[in-house]
Amino acid sequence: MSVFYNELDPFPAQWLTNLIAAGHLPAGEVSRNPIQELPASAPLPTSHFFAGIGGWPLALRMAGFPDDFPAWTGSAPCQPFSQSGAKRGFTDERHLWPAWYRIIRHSERVPPVVFGEQVASPAGRRWFDLVASDLERADYAI
């Protein structure tokens, strides 16, 4: 079994690698490529984007899901939508939902379940409105 992890930042990417090697997270490889450069064919049935140090796969495991549960997870960067950030929202270059959505829409391995999260600011709720609209157009139930 192999899981796809994507994390651009070198420090958490190394943590992911270490946690996988120690058996604390499902076995898999860590891609350190920017999500904007990932081909839609890259992800596997179980994939974690913006993986950080593995919160999503750990949470799924703790909730009783098998390690190979076919779902994609992601914690897209919050800085564009945070109350403490520059508040550039959708114009911020770190607004990466469009890149992740491109992969979801065009992947050969369309995930049956997508989990994500964002900050609970008014801007974060506008982000969620966009995500919900995009996913509903892709035939997901929100």
Side-chain angles (χ1 to χ4, degrees):
M1 191 248 339
S2 189
V3 172
F4 179 82
Y5 296 87
N6 181 248
E7 176 53 54
L8 178 64
D9 188 304
F11 187 78
Q14 186 58 53
W15 265 105
L16 275 173
T17 301
N18 296 347
L19 291 169
I20 293 164
H24 298 302
L25 295 176
E29 295 297 318
V30 179
S31 164
R32 297 175 187 210
N33 296 320
I35 193 166
Q36 302 94 316
E37 296 176 10
L38 290 177
S41 61
L44 298 172
T46 303
S47 293
H48 304 288
F49 299 86
F50 318 103
I53 59 169
W56 278 110
L58 180 61
L60 291 172
R61 185 182 268 181
M62 291 174 70
F65 290 96
D67 287 347
D68 62 351
F69 179 71
W72 287 7
T73 70
S75 294
C78 65
Q79 295 90 338
F81 306 100
S82 172
Q83 294 285 52
S84 62
K87 300 180 181 108
R88 293 195 317 242
F90 298 111
T91 63
D92 193 305
E93 65 187 20
R94 295 167 295 181
H95 168 48
L96 297 176
W97 168 249
W100 190 24
Y101 182 60
R102 172 191 58 82
I103 296 169
I104 292 169
R105 264 313 256 169
H106 300 292
S107 177
E108 298 165 3
R109 299 176 181 99
V110 176
V113 178
V114 176
F115 293 103
E117 56 87 22
Q118 189 51 268
V119 295
S121 68
R125 287 190 290 281
R126 286 189 296 279
W127 176 89
F128 180 75
D129 288 343
L130 170 67
V131 170
S133 295
D134 285 347
L135 288 174
E136 284 173 349
R137 277 194 303 278
D139 294 327
Y140 284 91
I142 305 297

